[in-house]
Amino acid sequence: MAETVKLSSPVDGSIYAERPVASEAEIDAAVSRARAAQAQWAKTSIDERGGYLLAFLEALLAMNDEIVPEIAWQMGRPVRYGGEKGGVEERTRYMVALAEKALAPYVPEDRPGFRRYLKRAPLGIVFTIAPWNYPYLTTVNSVVPALMAGNAVILKHAAQTLLVGERFQAAFDKAGLPKGLFQNIVLSHGQTEKLLGSGKVDHCNFTGSVGGGRAIEKAAAGTFMTLGLELGGKDPAYVLPDAKLDHAIANLVDGAFYNTGQCCCGIERVYVHEKVYDDFVEGFIAETRNYVVGNPLDQSTTMGPMAQARFADFIREQKAEALRKGATAHIGMKVEGDQDGSPYLAPEVLTNVNHQMSVMREESFGPIVGIMKVRDDEEAVQLMNDSPYGLTASIWTTDTDHAAALGDRIETGTVFMNRCDYVDPGLVWTGVKDTGKGGAMGLVGYENLTQPKSYHLREAI
C-alpha cells in the first residue's frame, strides 16, 4: 500500500486531507522538468517574469474565500482574520517591483580598455520547505523572489498544511507559468533528506525548528548547496518608562497571542522598566482577558486551537514548571476542552518569572508570555541577550535615537521600535545564533537566491 501523508485537523481531530507521497520516479521527473524549465526561464526578461508572478498573485487572491476556512481546518487560525492575503499581496508586489534594481548588474569604477561588471545569476533549482504556522506568507517569502531571479522552484509544504501547496500550484497554473518552473510535491522526511543529499537541487529554503535545520544541514552536507534557515525564536520586548503604555500593551498582547502564539517572531518574553511595571502588567492582563477561545470557524472566536495537541501540552508543561518555581499566573480562563491531549488552550500571562524557567528560555510557540521587572537598560539588554535565539526584538519608547542605540547592543536579526511581529519586505528577514542563517526579502533576499558572476572583458589589445 502506498505511503500517505495525513492532515489531522485541530478543530475536531478528523482527517481533513490525505495525499500519497511521491514515488522516486515522480521525484526524479520533477527535478528533470525543473532543470529543463529553468534553463529557458533564465533567458526571459525580469519584466516578463513579473507579469507571470502578478498573474499568480491575482489567481491566489481570487481563491481567498475558499482559503480562509481551509486555514482554519488545517492549523486552527480563526476565520475572522481573513487569511493572509494582505501580507501575501504586499510582499509579492514589493519583491516583483524590486527585482529590476536587485538583479541589475553592478559596474565598478571605469578602467580604460576593459568592460567590467558583475551579474546576479540564478542558482538553478530552489527547494522550499514551508511551515504550517503562516503557510502562505512564509512560502511567498522564498518562492516569489526565487522565480523572479530566474530559478525554478520545488515546494514541499508541511503535512499540517498540505492543501496550501496545491493552492500555489493551482494559482501558478492559472497564471500560465511555464510547466516545470513551479512544482508542489508531497514528500516523506526520508525522501526530503535524500533529495537534499542528491546534489540535484541548488538551494534549500527552510522555515521550522532548530532540530529541523540541523537535520537539513546534515542531509545537505557535501553537496555545497546554499541554505536559508529561519529557525527558532524567543523574541523579547523592552518597555521603557517613556513608552506610550496603551499602544505598547495593545500591540504586545497581539504580538504574543495572535495566531495562538504560533509566530516565529511572536512576543514570548517582556521586560518592563520598574517605573511603569505595575501599570503595564495591569493593562496587559486586562487586554488578554478579552480573547475568546473556541472553534476557529466561528466568527466570534479570536483564538483558535493550537495546530497539534502536543504543542498545547508543551505550553501546559512550561506553565506548570514556572508555577512550581514561584511564578504567578494571572488569566485562569476557562476554555472548553482545555485539558491534556487537547489543542484547545487558554492564553496565559505569568509574572514573578526568571531565566531559570523554561518559559523564559525555551521557545514556547504558543499562547503564554512571561513579564519581568527590570531596573534599567543594562539589565534589560543583558536579559534580552540571554537566549540561544535572535530573530527580532522590540523596544517601546518615544526616543528613536535611544532605541537605535539599544538596538546596536541587542543580539537579533531585526530591531523594532513601537511595533512587533511584522516582516518588512524592504529590509531583510534574518536571525542570529540558533535562529539560523541566510535572509529573505529585500535586496539581501535576492542576493541569497542568486550567485555573483564576474565579467572582465579586455577590449584593447
Side-chain angles (χ1 to χ4, degrees), residues 109-116 457-460:
E109 69 282 355
D110 185 52
R111 181 177 294 179
F114 293 88
R115 186 188 306 175
R116 300 181 306 143
L457 311 177
R458 186 171 190 168
E459 297 176 313

Side-chain angles (χ1 to χ4, degrees), residues 138-437:
T138 53
T139 305
V140 159
N141 287 355
S142 64
V143 169
V144 169
L147 288 167
M148 285 301 301
N151 299 291
V153 174
I154 293 175
L155 171 66
K156 176 206 174 295
H157 222 292
Q160 194 66 46
T161 40
L162 271 177
L163 302 186
V164 176
E166 295 177 7
R167 288 290 183 183
F168 269 78
Q169 187 71 67
F172 277 118
D173 291 347
K174 178 75 172 177
L177 190 74
K179 297 296 183 183
L181 272 179
F182 174 88
Q183 296 173 87
N184 174 59
I185 192 166
V186 179
L187 302 174
S188 68
H189 288 307
Q191 289 174 319
T192 301
E193 291 177 353
K194 184 177 179 180
L195 181 56
L196 286 165
S198 69
K200 295 178 180 179
V201 294
D202 304 292
H203 176 86
C204 176
N205 199 92
F206 171 77
T207 304
S209 69
V210 173
R214 290 195 175 111
I216 284 172
E217 281 199 323
K218 183 178 179 180
T223 66
F224 307 120
M225 69 187 298
T226 54
L227 299 174
L229 304 175
E230 198 254 276
L231 311 176
K234 190 71 183 172
D235 289 8
Y238 174 32
V239 182
L240 281 80
D242 66 336
K244 294 185 177 180
L245 280 192
D246 288 348
H247 173 81
I249 289 166
N251 282 270
L252 286 171
V253 169
D254 182 70
F257 298 122
Y258 184 78
N259 208 37
T260 320
Q262 299 167 128
C263 304
C264 302
C265 57
I267 297 298
E268 297 209 357
R269 49 199 176 108
V270 183
Y271 305 100
V272 185
H273 195 280
E274 60 187 7
K275 290 183 179 178
V276 292
Y277 176 82
D278 290 340
D279 288 343
F280 178 87
V281 169
E282 180 182 359
F284 197 97
I285 292 167
E287 184 78 14
T288 301
R289 286 180 173 149
N290 291 328
Y291 277 99
V292 177
V293 182
N295 189 318
L297 297 165
D298 294 340
Q299 280 291 336
S300 61
T301 295
T302 58
M303 182 181 291
M306 297 195 72
Q308 295 182 23
R310 64 186 177 95
F311 302 151
D313 283 342
F314 179 71
I315 302 302
R316 295 183 180 102
E317 291 169 9
Q318 282 196 320
K319 176 180 175 180
E321 185 234 29
L323 295 180
R324 288 195 303 270
K325 292 182 176 180
T328 302
H330 293 275
I331 304 304
M333 186 185 296
K334 299 298 182 182
V335 170
E336 184 178 353
D338 185 354
Q339 58 191 16
D340 289 350
S342 167
Y344 287 90
L345 179 73
E348 191 56 270
V349 177
L350 302 175
T351 58
N352 297 319
V353 290
N354 59 55
H355 278 222
Q356 281 66 56
M357 299 173 183
S358 166
V359 75
M360 297 301 285
R361 292 277 302 162
E362 297 179 39
E363 183 175 31
S364 302
F365 216 65
I368 190 167
V369 63
I371 306 176
M372 283 184 70
K373 183 191 298 184
V374 295
R375 296 182 302 275
D376 52 28
D377 291 350
E378 292 301 318
E379 185 179 14
V381 170
Q382 185 272 322
L383 289 168
M384 293 172 90
N385 287 339
D386 183 27
S387 171
Y389 306 108
L391 184 57
T392 80
S394 63
I395 300 166
W396 303 79
T397 177
T398 55
D399 188 336
T400 304
D401 290 339
H402 187 50
L406 285 173
D408 289 342
R409 300 168 58 195
I410 299 170
E411 297 162 358
T412 189
T414 294
V415 177
F416 288 115
M417 173 180 156
N418 296 333
R419 80 175 308 174
C420 58
D421 194 20
Y422 173 73
V423 177
D424 185 340
L427 297 175
V428 64
W429 195 239
T430 189
V432 300
K433 298 189 279 191
D434 283 359
T435 292
K437 64 180 181 181

